[in-house]
């Protein structure tokens, strides 16, 4: 064994859930090791949305100024263009938070900020380029993890193992925690398009399929939602996709004319959850416990709120001893309801997101309601901006 670490808590996965939990536990004076398989956080296939509730947490943690000093774009409301008819989907302007906006920031910058903030506490340790691949057991109890880094094998022993390694978690499989699928009807095609100076688009364009346009200053990051299982990555697929984009937005369609199969990445969407989030000695949080779809852009928020709830419930227990299954069950109980509600809403959103209607045809019912009763956009704003059960570090 090349590296052997003994710590209070080992967190597998340096995504939003894992790094936020690492930060919060280290802040409580605990020793926490976060193992991340990548060398950096420069992964592109993730949401960029930092919700008002997450910004409220950052403010409470004294990190808001640092956060706002990084390049970002604020969105006070989520707008949609349906065959050219503009409407608001969610309005954040009345939220009871200091920042009443959804902020777009490349996720790697946000994760760098969390890692740097956690690194200021003596108990925090981030193992980069460390892929965890096994559990260490003492009888029934999970007491650590094994993995590999550039130098060789690694073992981390801890009183608590947190699996925050996302929707493809191998650890939960080894712990015999099997997710139940909830139907996900869509996949996402992800590609970049060039941007001219001053060029803007509504965040969501729909009616003949759906495009989300994320403005990343120098280019547009496009997420094009398609029915699940319909993409095979062939040239005819790309041509069909370009045709659909031209239909939804002629200007973006023109910019997409040069795309080839190599430029387009397929992101498979999954919507699933564990019935039980824990084993003795180990707890799953974030997407490892409940994979979220991009619909509504709330997965990061939910993952972070899991971390906040887990830290609040488990830090006092970890200070005094070893968390028992009843303690881990308390975290699951606290977070199951918001997950259920959010996944139901995501499922309900799939049909209107994918639907294709002729220009001039009536809007789908949920959109008609939002248009007729604008006050409803404050409710959707609350749901997207704060989540079904916001958590606080105060
Ligand atoms: C196409 C798509 C778009 C999305 N867009 C949005 C959006 O705009 N807004 C939003 O809020 N949500 C969005 N989501 C959902 C969101 O990405 C997830 O809900 C969120 O990232 C979950 O955070 P997490 O920390 O639980 O897991 P992840 O973000 O998946 O992080 C897991 C981390 O664990 C690491 N890891 C994995 N295995 C190991 C291992 N064996 N050893 C060590 N490290 C490991 C990974 O490298 C990763 O860093 C989207 C999802 C999809 C599929």
């Amino acid at each position: 064994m090349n590296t052997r670490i003994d710590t209070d808590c080992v967190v597998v996965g340096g995504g939003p859930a894992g790094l936020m939990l690492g930060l919060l536990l280290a802040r409580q004076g605990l020793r926490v090791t976060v193992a991340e398989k990548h060398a950096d956080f420069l992964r592109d296939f993730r949401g960029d949305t930092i919700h008002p509730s997450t910004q409220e947490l950052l403010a409470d943690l004294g990190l808001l100024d640092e956060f706002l000093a990084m390049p970002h774009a604020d969105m006070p409301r989520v707008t949609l263009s349906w065959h050219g008819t503009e409407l608001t989907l969610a309005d954040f302007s009345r939220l009871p938070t200091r920042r009443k906006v959804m902020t777009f920031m490349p996720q790697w910058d946000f994760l760098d900020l969390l890692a740097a903030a956690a690194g200021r506490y003596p108990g925090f340790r981030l193992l980069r380029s460390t892929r965890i691949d096994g559990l260490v057991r003492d009888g029934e109890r999970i007491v650590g993890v094994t993995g590999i880094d550039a130098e060789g094998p690694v073992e981390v022993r801890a009183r608590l193992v947190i699996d925050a390694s996302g929707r493809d978690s191998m650890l939960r499989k080894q712990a015999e925690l099997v997710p139940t699928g909830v139907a996900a009807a869509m996949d996402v095609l992800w590609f970049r398009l060039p941007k001219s100076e001053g060029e803007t688009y509504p965040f969501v364009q729909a009616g003949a399929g759906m495009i989300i346009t994320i403005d990343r200053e120098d280019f547009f990051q496009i997420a094009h939602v398609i029915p699940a299982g319909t993409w095979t990555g062939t040239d005819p697929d790309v041509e069909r996709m370009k045709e659909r984009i031209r239909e939804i937005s002629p200007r973006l369609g023109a910019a997409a004319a040069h795309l080839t199969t190599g430029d387009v990445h397929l992101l498979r969407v999954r919507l699933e959850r564990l019935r039980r989030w824990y084993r003795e000695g180990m707890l799953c949080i974030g997407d490892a416990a409940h994979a979220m779809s991009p619909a509504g852009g709330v997965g990061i928020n939910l993952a972070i709120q899991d971390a906040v709830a887990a830290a609040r419930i488990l830090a006092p227990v970890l200070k005094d001893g070893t968390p028992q299954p009843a303690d881990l069950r308390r975290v699951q109980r606290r977070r199951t309801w918001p997950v259920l509600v959010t996944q139901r809403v995501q499922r309900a959103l799939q049909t209107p997101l994918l639907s294709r209607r002729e220009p001039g045809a009536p809007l789908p019912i949920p959109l008609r309601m939002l248009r007729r009763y604008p006050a409803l956009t404050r409710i959707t704003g609350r749901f997207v901006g704060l989540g079904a059960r916001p958590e606080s570090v105060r």
Side-chain angles (χ1 to χ4, degrees), residues 12-17 35-38 43 46-49 51 130-132 164-167 267-268 286-287 292 294 297-300 303:
V12 181
E36 166 56 48
K37 67 181 177 185
H38 291 105
R43 276 142 283 150
R46 294 178 152 183
D48 287 357
T49 48
H51 303 75
T130 305
R131 179 185 291 275
I132 299 301
S165 63
R167 61 194 193 144
L267 308 182
R268 290 204 188 279
D287 268 22
M292 304 305 290
V298 290
I300 298 169

Side-chain angles (χ1 to χ4, degrees), residues 131-145:
R131 179 185 291 275
I132 299 301
D133 54 17
L135 295 171
V136 183
R137 294 173 196 260
D138 180 4
E140 287 294 295
R141 187 173 179 86
I142 293 166
V143 293
V145 293

